[in-house]
Amino acid sequence: MSEQPFIPMAQDTYGAPYCNVHRADYHDLLVVKCRSLGVEVLLGSHVAHADLSAPSITLANGTTLTADLVIGADGLKSKLRALLLNRPSPPYLTGDLAYRILISAAKMREDPDLVELATTPMFNIWMGPQAHAVCYLLKGAQVYNIVLCCPDNLPTDVNIAPAAPGELESFFAPWDPRLQKLLALSHDVSKWRLQNSRQLETWVHADGKFTLLGDSCHATLPYLAQGAAMAVEDGAVLGGLLGKLQSREQLGDVLKIYEALRKARTERVVQGSTHQQDIFHLEDGEKQRERDAVLLADDVKPGFPNKWRDDELRDWLFGYDAFEEVEKGWEQYNRERRFGSKVEPVGCAVQEEGALGSVAVVSPLMRMWGWFVFSVWASVFSRVYILGIGIVFICSVVL
């Protein structure tokens, strides 16, 4: 009897390949595409103040930019989130940090114990007490990416720091000898505190001219490898909805639909990623042995510890079609025949679920690319600015 593939091929099952893209390469793709569509990218543009009602953004150099819409995508430590909520909104400690390492795959291929890791495109995950490691190839199998998630040992006021000599080797000494060999090939390792966000009351300002996007409203642990993917989905849904605008008066309603379509889904991802922390980091003992027995038996049922083998969750993650969600949301909006109507989330009920790092992992692929939002804006907006690395979008509608 022929052996079945470990998991269905993404192309056959979901209509698109699974893409692993280094974060810097992905940024480059987005910037090139934005500029080709006439979007002006203003680097080094520190936002000193924002008026979410106007809306407008005032830069540190005194320049004020007014618009019809401001989108805050300024990340985990979003200042615009705090302004929207009218209260401090710091990120939350998760108790973990991540060591992020890139090493030469060519060097790995010189070692017989590491050849398979350096030549076979797959995720390799080690789980152990209080920690886990995730490793995979990047850049056409030229680079091997390693993310080691361990207990947070950074000082309170420090979020990024270099690893001390021997720090990793000491922690992972009892682990797989191959992991020790990988660590021996690494240099200049940094560690990054892992933080996330809590469920927000809203993403949209009451005046309907401002919204949040990405980590600024749903920062997550990387343990489902979906942080970047959720931001890409946000962009596709918001872009698709903005492309349906018929008048400026509909802008506030479009933002409400966007929140209704996206909020519950992203909250489930945040919750599920946090839950994976408990599964990955079990101390040696009875629960760990039970987990390992379930994994080895490979009897896949809902709640299976390896989420990439859990058909229900995998289909929910990777079978998502952002454009289809836009059409459903817009159809419901028109059926209500009134602005400001409540739009129920489509296909994203919240359930309790019982990257990584320098890499943007884009789910297979929702039949869209991250730049879609900008390609829509090219026809919807008279001008689009992207300010800084931070990121704040500021857009003026033309209809």
Side-chain angles (χ1 to χ4, degrees), residues 94-113:
T94 65
D96 280 356
L97 60 76
Y99 298 88
R100 293 171 177 168
I101 305 168
L102 293 173
I103 61 177
S104 166
K107 285 284 187 183
M108 292 172 59
R109 288 190 281 269
E110 296 174 4
D111 187 325
D113 291 335

Side-chain angles (χ1 to χ4, degrees), residues 52 69-73 78 80-81 83-85 197-219 230-231 233-235 237-238 252 254-268 270 320 348:
L52 305 188
L69 173 64
V70 171
I71 303 169
S78 171
L80 293 175
R81 178 177 66 235
L83 193 60
L84 170 67
L85 300 175
S197 57
R198 297 292 187 269
Q199 181 175 338
L200 302 181
E201 305 94 283
T202 184
W203 296 0
V204 178
H205 190 264
D207 288 334
K209 301 174 184 177
F210 170 84
T211 191
L212 297 171
L213 181 150
D215 278 1
S216 65
C217 48
H218 50 72
M230 289 300 107
E233 290 180 4
D234 286 352
V237 169
L238 183 55
V254 160
L255 298 185
K256 291 177 185 176
I257 300 169
Y258 157 69
E259 180 183 280
L261 292 176
R262 295 296 304 152
K263 194 169 183 288
R265 176 173 170 85
T266 58
E267 286 166 359
R268 180 179 174 183
V270 173
Y320 182 82
C348 53

Side-chain angles (χ1 to χ4, degrees), residues 133-150:
V134 180
C135 309
Y136 45 90
L137 290 162
L138 285 174
K139 293 182 176 288
Q142 298 178 49
V143 173
Y144 200 62
N145 187 67
I146 304 171
V147 182
L148 305 164
C149 298
C150 305

Side-chain angles (χ1 to χ4, degrees), residues 127 223-224 275-276 279-280 282 290-295 299-310 313 354:
M127 292 182 287
Y223 299 167
L224 282 179
H275 182 65
Q276 287 301 102
I279 294 175
F280 286 160
L282 286 175
E290 290 175 356
R291 178 201 65 193
D292 294 354
V294 171
L295 289 170
D299 184 12
V300 180
K301 298 176 181 178
F304 191 68
N306 178 0
K307 293 307 176 186
W308 313 122
R309 293 282 283 146
D310 184 333
L313 180 65

Side-chain angles (χ1 to χ4, degrees), residues 3-299:
E3 184 178 351
Q4 294 299 312
F6 182 64
I7 60 171
M9 294 296 293
Q11 182 73 55
D12 296 339
T13 307
Y14 304 113
Y18 191 100
C19 295
N20 247 5
V21 186
H22 190 276
R23 190 173 296 272
D25 294 336
Y26 194 53
H27 284 175
D28 288 344
L29 288 170
L30 292 175
V31 169
V32 169
K33 186 63 182 182
C34 288
R35 285 176 170 158
S36 75
L37 295 168
V39 175
E40 188 172 355
V41 181
L42 306 177
L43 299 177
S45 301
H46 178 76
V47 176
H49 177 70
D51 182 336
L52 305 188
S53 296
S56 66
I57 294 291
T58 301
L59 306 182
N61 65 9
T63 302
T64 296
L65 301 174
T66 59
D68 291 301
L69 173 64
V70 171
I71 303 169
D74 51 338
L76 174 71
K77 301 176 184 178
S78 171
K79 294 181 179 179
L80 293 175
R81 178 177 66 235
L83 193 60
L84 170 67
L85 300 175
N86 197 31
R87 60 174 172 79
S89 182
Y92 289 81
L93 298 178
T94 65
D96 280 356
L97 60 76
Y99 298 88
R100 293 171 177 168
I101 305 168
L102 293 173
I103 61 177
S104 166
K107 285 284 187 183
M108 292 172 59
R109 288 190 281 269
E110 296 174 4
D111 187 325
D113 291 335
L114 301 179
V115 168
E116 183 183 13
L117 300 180
T119 56
T120 306
M122 60 181 176
F123 285 91
N124 297 283
I125 301 175
W126 287 263
M127 292 182 287
Q130 302 180 37
H132 75 281
V134 180
C135 309
Y136 45 90
L137 290 162
L138 285 174
K139 293 182 176 288
Q142 298 178 49
V143 173
Y144 200 62
N145 187 67
I146 304 171
V147 182
L148 305 164
C149 298
C150 305
D152 186 350
N153 60 11
L154 286 165
T156 304
D157 58 345
V158 176
N159 291 317
I160 304 172
E167 181 177 344
L168 282 171
E169 291 81 355
S170 175
F171 186 94
F172 289 99
W175 291 48
D176 186 341
R178 291 177 299 172
L179 194 55
Q180 288 290 326
K181 288 190 172 187
L182 290 172
L183 296 179
L185 294 174
S186 64
H187 304 283
D188 302 323
V189 179
S190 293
K191 51 187 177 181
W192 303 60
R193 172 167 281 141
L194 293 178
Q195 299 169 280
N196 65 4
S197 57
R198 297 292 187 269
Q199 181 175 338
L200 302 181
E201 305 94 283
T202 184
W203 296 0
V204 178
H205 190 264
D207 288 334
K209 301 174 184 177
F210 170 84
T211 191
L212 297 171
L213 181 150
D215 278 1
S216 65
C217 48
H218 50 72
T220 181
L221 280 169
Y223 299 167
L224 282 179
Q226 291 298 302
M230 289 300 107
V232 172
E233 290 180 4
D234 286 352
V237 169
L238 183 55
L241 290 169
L242 290 172
K244 293 183 177 296
L245 274 178
Q246 298 165 338
S247 69
R248 285 183 174 84
E249 287 68 32
Q250 288 181 302
L251 183 57
D253 295 303
V254 160
L255 298 185
K256 291 177 185 176
I257 300 169
Y258 157 69
E259 180 183 280
L261 292 176
R262 295 296 304 152
K263 194 169 183 288
R265 176 173 170 85
T266 58
E267 286 166 359
R268 180 179 174 183
V269 167
V270 173
Q271 293 165 3
S273 298
T274 301
H275 182 65
Q276 287 301 102
Q277 184 180 35
D278 297 331
I279 294 175
F280 286 160
H281 295 181
L282 286 175
E283 296 282 357
D284 289 343
E286 183 178 352
K287 288 186 177 180
Q288 167 260 320
R289 289 189 291 270
E290 290 175 356
R291 178 201 65 193
D292 294 354
V294 171
L295 289 170
L296 290 170
D298 201 32
D299 184 12

